[in-house]
Amino acid sequence: MTDIGDKARGFRSAIIRDGIIRATTRSFLQALGQDDEDIARPHIGVFHTGGEMSPCNLNLREQAQHAKTGIYAGGGTPHECPVMSVSDGLSMAHSGMRFSLVSRELIADSVETSTRGHQWDGIFAIGACDKNLPGLMMGMVRCNVPSVFVHGGSALPGQMPGPDGRDLNVVDTYETIGKVLAGTATADELDAMSRACLPTAGACAGQFTANTMGMVSEALGLAPIGSSMVPAVFSERAPLMRRAAKTLMKAVLGDGPLPRDIVTRQSLENACALVSATGGSTNAALHLPAIAHEAGIRFHLDDVAEVFARTPLIADLRPGGQYLARDVYYIGGAGVILRTLLAQGFLHGGALTFTGRTLAEEVADAGEPDGRVVRRAGDAISRDGGLAVLKGNLCPDGALLKTAGLKTLVHRGPARVFDSEEEAQAAVQNRRYEAGDVIVIRNEGPRGSPGMREMLGITALLYGQGMGDRVALLTDGRFSGATRGLCIGYAGPEAADGGPIAALADGDMIAIDARAEAHSITVELAADEIGARLARRKPPANLHRGGVLEKYALTVRPGHQGAVTHSGAVTWLRDES
């Protein structure tokens, strides 16, 4: 057996095509339209989640064609490998959301299965929806063959009909639903908003999960600098894909770095800093530990929290701020943010990228901050970043809060407890809560749901009802990257694992302090009372889920460890026969 680190790693695919015994394999390759020269080249898997399950994925196959052209021009033979994806937009606020985070694992497993099954020599991955970006990156790191990732880009914003003319994105429609239920907007206004908010293919336009993870791919060193913020429908994406493919082929044909050379503790800290500096999605704190796990690195929520706390918020992006991905593109892309953070000492400039150059070398030519979309680090919006990890007797393993854009960081109020998202959704729709409440939604963690659903539907309703700044929300489930307000998710341990959130009852006083000196969340109960309640509790009925959810619930790890489903990084061998 030959490890891929050996010089003979060009090419692993020889095992599927060389020698008399592989005559039938060559028949399959010839039937794909390959001649002898094509067959002798390194074979590259082009993984994408293109399809009609969401606008995020709509034009990814078209982009993959340009990647394939670049691979062939660079000396490789591409193999298009479409991968499934679940749209958070179409699965929001119903049982389908249980499959969203699960899809991340299925995507990573698919990349591994295809790459190892076919002995591909390299990976080009393209994703553009919340879970498919980290899923593809996890698969790349697990397989540890020369790889590049490119975010498929964001949608352009819509425009408000009439004289207002302001930029719109899909979150505006979510919040307008709440306004209709509250009687402050009409059904006709909602209809006009829904038709205008998402005018093109691409990921949702704000610094929500997809665009956050797109920027993360650059900060990790797995993607070209400047690639993530190019809008999905811009013609510039075609040459971008070809250039990235040619750079990948240099790594395949030469001695370029492998994903586990690139994903190190330094690059993971760089990615965390980028998330904090942009007020990015709290979901990044779930995905970065999972990517680290594939590299064999223990990097959990505590590690993420340390970087969040020391990194300033310098980008004024929605949902907490004013601007969108398109605006970041026009001022020079994520490279501007990375260069600014590096100049102020918040990044490790020596971290390696897929090009073989360091991050410092890659961002050296990036532009300067414009002062509006991105500020200089010395003029930060917040000195301690846009996200915080809270701990205390209610969440010993931690919980996550996006602080960017919050009007207050302190809240104390009585618990209003719900045992499922559906119960909470019905209560919020019917205004069965009071100003000052802490709305608690439990049994929605990775194992308890199963699938760790996200609650954008509820948080948007609260804002639409004018109550977003007047209540807090706590869950062992997730929040969308588009969520804003005092919404605390990923509470650990989750209720299904006997976490203190399972002991809460209506009226229990919960104190939240997200200020830098505190970062705490507590319930005003004695430890013995929490223990006694947990001992008496009756777990909710275990609904028979069957299929993938049943398997997921049996294997998933806690959220603060990334909600991964296998024990450790895979050792990748060239020939396992």
Side-chain angles (χ1 to χ4, degrees):
M1 291 188 290
T2 305
D3 189 88
I4 62 166
D6 295 348
K7 192 67 177 176
R9 84 173 200 243
F11 304 111
R12 178 178 304 98
S13 57
I15 198 171
I16 67 170
R17 55 179 164 78
D18 283 0
I20 293 173
I21 199 171
R22 302 302 181 196
T24 53
T25 309
R26 291 193 294 273
S27 296
F28 275 81
L29 295 173
Q30 289 158 1
L32 288 173
Q34 298 175 14
D35 61 18
D36 290 347
E37 179 185 345
D38 299 333
I39 292 171
R41 292 176 170 219
H43 291 252
I44 310 300
V46 181
F47 293 88
H48 67 82
T49 55
E52 296 179 348
M53 71 292 289
S54 77
C56 319
N57 299 288
L58 185 60
N59 72 354
L60 297 191
R61 189 180 186 210
E62 175 186 332
Q63 296 189 46
Q65 303 312 303
H66 297 293
K68 290 165 64 177
T69 299
I71 289 167
Y72 198 80
T77 295
H79 293 258
E80 186 178 350
C81 303
V83 179
M84 61 75 62
S85 184
V86 171
S87 165
D88 281 19
L90 295 182
S91 61
M92 189 66 66
H94 61 80
S95 61
M97 178 54 74
R98 289 192 170 92
F99 293 87
S100 173
L101 185 58
V102 174
S103 73
R104 186 191 72 178
E105 311 309 306
L106 295 175
I107 291 165
D109 291 349
S110 295
V111 172
E112 178 196 2
T113 301
S114 182
T115 301
R116 300 187 79 176
H118 301 117
Q119 300 286 326
W120 302 143
D121 297 296
I123 295 171
F124 193 118
I126 312 165
C129 198
D130 290 10
K131 309 309 173 298
N132 64 43
L133 285 92
L136 290 164
M137 286 186 268
M138 289 165 65
M140 288 163 49
V141 177
R142 186 185 302 177
C143 292
N144 203 34
V145 298
S147 301
V148 64
F149 176 86
V150 182
H151 175 27
S154 73
L156 294 176
Q159 191 172 63
M160 187 69 181
D164 184 341
R166 63 185 173 89
D167 284 343
L168 298 177
N169 66 82
V170 72
V171 177
D172 295 301
T173 297
Y174 276 117
E175 294 185 2
T176 302
I177 296 171
K179 292 179 181 179
V180 172
L181 293 174
T184 58
T186 68
D188 287 343
E189 289 171 332
L190 175 60
D191 183 65
M193 179 80 73
S194 68
R195 294 177 188 276
C197 70
L198 193 51
T200 73
C204 297
Q207 189 66 343
F208 312 147
T209 302
N211 289 329
T212 296
M213 294 309 297
M215 285 195 188
V216 159
S217 69
E218 295 187 40
L220 282 174
L222 296 173
I225 298 299
S227 59
S228 65
M229 292 294 101
V230 181
V233 294
F234 277 21
S235 298
E236 184 181 333
R237 298 206 66 84
L240 165 64
M241 291 292 174
R242 293 193 294 268
R243 288 194 304 270
K246 291 176 183 177
T247 303
L248 169 64
M249 289 314 303
K250 290 178 182 177
V252 173
L253 294 166
D255 195 24
L258 301 176
R260 289 189 212 160
D261 300 324
I262 297 165
V263 176
T264 62
R265 180 164 291 274
Q266 284 191 336
S267 70
L268 290 161
E269 290 185 355
N270 287 347
C272 290
L274 185 282
V275 175
S276 187
T278 60
S281 171
T282 53
N283 281 309
L286 191 69
H287 300 321
L288 284 167
I291 294 170
H293 185 73
E294 301 295 351
I297 300 170
R298 186 190 183 282
F299 193 81
H300 291 170
L301 187 58
D302 286 342
D303 303 287
V304 174
E306 185 178 334
V307 182
F308 282 177
R310 69 179 186 233
T311 310
L313 173 65
I314 63 171
D316 189 15
L317 304 178
R318 294 188 190 180
Q322 301 182 62
Y323 299 102
L324 299 167
R326 172 209 58 190
D327 304 307
V328 179
Y329 165 75
Y330 279 129
I331 63 131
V336 172
I337 302 168
L338 292 168
R339 183 184 176 189
T340 302
L341 291 173
L342 180 63
Q344 296 295 319
F346 295 107
L347 297 183
H348 303 286
L352 196 62
T353 73
F354 86 102
T355 67
R357 301 187 342 143
T358 66
L359 182 68
E361 291 172 321
E362 287 295 304
V363 303
D365 295 328
E368 295 289 334
D370 69 320
R372 296 179 305 106
V373 181
V374 177
R375 301 185 186 184
R376 296 184 184 278
D379 184 34
I381 300 165
S382 169
R383 296 184 64 181
D384 59 341
L387 297 101
V389 175
L390 311 182
K391 283 195 169 186
N393 69 341
L394 186 49
C395 302
D397 288 341
L400 278 160
L401 169 67
K402 179 181 286 192
T403 56
L406 285 183
K407 295 179 180 178
T408 179
L409 298 175
V410 178
H411 184 95
R412 180 178 178 273
R416 181 80 171 88
V417 182
F418 302 96
D419 283 325
S420 70
E421 180 185 6
E422 285 81 5
E423 287 185 16
Q425 180 92 14
V428 171
Q429 282 184 217
N430 292 286
R431 304 294 292 266
R432 296 198 303 269
Y433 65 94
E434 302 290 337
D437 282 354
V438 178
I439 297 170
V440 177
I441 309 173
R442 62 191 178 195
N443 303 312
E444 294 291 357
R447 192 165 68 84
S449 185
M452 206 177 195
R453 290 192 286 181
E454 68 180 32
M455 313 292 173
L456 175 60
I458 293 175
T459 60
L461 281 178
L462 290 169
Y463 263 92
Q465 294 172 351
M467 297 293 283
D469 295 321
R470 303 180 66 190
V471 296
L473 200 157
L474 170 68
T475 181
D476 52 7
R478 296 182 294 117
F479 287 120
S480 165
T483 289
R484 60 188 178 120
L486 198 61
C487 298
I488 302 161
Y490 317 85
E494 64 172 295
D497 288 336
I501 193 173
L504 291 177
D506 284 349
D508 290 340
M509 293 303 295
I510 296 174
I512 299 160
D513 190 341
R515 293 174 296 183
E517 61 271 21
H519 281 181
S520 65
I521 180 166
T522 58
V523 58
E524 296 175 6
L525 293 173
D528 56 354
E529 173 61 16
I530 295 174
R533 288 189 188 183
L534 290 174
R536 295 193 303 266
R537 79 183 181 102
K538 294 181 179 179
N542 184 19
L543 300 178
H544 178 69
R545 302 294 181 189
V548 66
L549 290 181
E550 183 177 322
K551 289 185 283 188
Y552 184 80
L554 290 170
T555 58
V556 68
R557 294 187 170 203
H560 74 281
Q561 297 179 16
V564 295
T565 57
H566 66 93
S567 61
V570 175
T571 300
W572 171 246
L573 300 173
R574 179 186 177 210
D575 177 2
E576 299 186 25
S577 60

